[in-house]
Amino acid sequence: MQLPKIWLSSPHMGGGEREFVTEAFDTNWVAPLGPNVTGFEEDISEFLKTSQDQTLTTAVLTSGTAALHLSLVMLGVNSSDAVLVQSFTFCGTTNPIVYQGAELVFVDSERDTWNMDPNALKEAIQFLLSEGFGIHEKIEPKAGKGFIRAIMPVHLYGMPAKMDELECISRETGIPIVEDAAEALGSTFKGQKCGTFGLMSALSFNGNKIITTSGGGALVSNTKEFVEKARFLSTQARDNEPHYQHSQIGYNYRMSNVVAGIGRGQMEVLDERVSQRRANNERYRRFFAKVFGVELQTELNGDFFSNFWLTSLIIDPIKTGGVDREFVRLEMERENIECRPLWKPMHLQPVFAGSKFFGTGVCVELFEKGLCLPSGSNLREDEFERIFMVLNRIFN
Ligand SMILES: *Cc1c(COP(=O)(O)O)cnc(C)c1O
């Protein structure tokens, strides 16, 4: 008989969510605006602020993908432009570039963080400049070419990218950063929260993320105008008239007041969720410390603090005596335990075939050797016992 499924990462409610949602029903705020929407936005901004004088604001939306899309819309990305994006990511990062018709230029990851490699990024920028692409307000493009509009790093599985080096490149070149912090709510780099580094940043509250609203996202920025514009664009870009009047194309991307109620409840337990995921990671780390040929994604030094949304590792079959990631994944699957290969790089996806890629292929090797382990904050003791029974069978 099959035991119940152990998920990679499943929703984990804290209790307060129901009250906020009930309140929305009781007051009939079942609309894409209302006190939960405003409250959730304030909670997020408060959580992300490093200091009280920071001018951080948030717009909550229907998804993280929508937040990234609106960021690109507001930067004016169009079909003659190019956008630099981490290849090692989920398609939610890359698809909005396609929605705007721009060229995707993929950047490799580096060993330390598994995130955007600053050297590969520089190489990609040099190449695009030599091709005649411009940089907004700095370099005029050649005829027929557009601008390099954005750099899109990701904090994969919660691990912060090397934001100091990437910000330095952004400042020197004048190409803004759109930060994909969808997996990294609660992570910090040099004491600053992920989700506050970009000119605009995206969060996700999809069902498998560290906190969830069943589906949702947020756009965060230190520039209030972007957030206000995002609210405008996400509610169909309605001009300030008594009748429906539109001077530009908008989107139906605003989060509803019911959904935002779940978010307010989840914000109450976010710190606890980070601790729980980090405790999971520590548990796996202790086990694999004794295993030759298995390496976990690891905080490089004190500058990096990961929420360890998913505990991820790479398995070198040469060192493990033939055990590879597929073997582990299938052994787990037989026991109804969900594991997943590390994300397949976007430049290898059939849908992005033929796109440019800069780097040596670090992310390809990570994909081939890498696995994500069950990492939910609601994993029970008996579930961990089942997981470690399989791991012990394989590795001891
Ligand atoms: C989940 C995720 C997204 C998209 O978020 P949605 O809310 O599902 O649209 C984008 N980027 C990364 C890296 C993600 O993990």
Side-chain angles (χ1 to χ4, degrees), residues 63-65 68 89-90 92-93 154 156 180 182-183 204-206 209 216:
S63 71
T65 309
L68 292 164
T89 188
F90 177 68
T93 321
V154 185
L156 216 59
D180 183 348
E183 301 179 358
S204 169
F205 313 113
N206 195 13
K209 298 286 156 65

Side-chain angles (χ1 to χ4, degrees), residues 21 36 40 61 212-216 255-264:
V21 171
N36 283 339
F40 189 27
L61 304 167
T212 181
T213 59
S214 74
M255 181 179 280
S256 87
N257 195 56
V258 175
V259 165
I262 307 176
R264 289 184 84 181

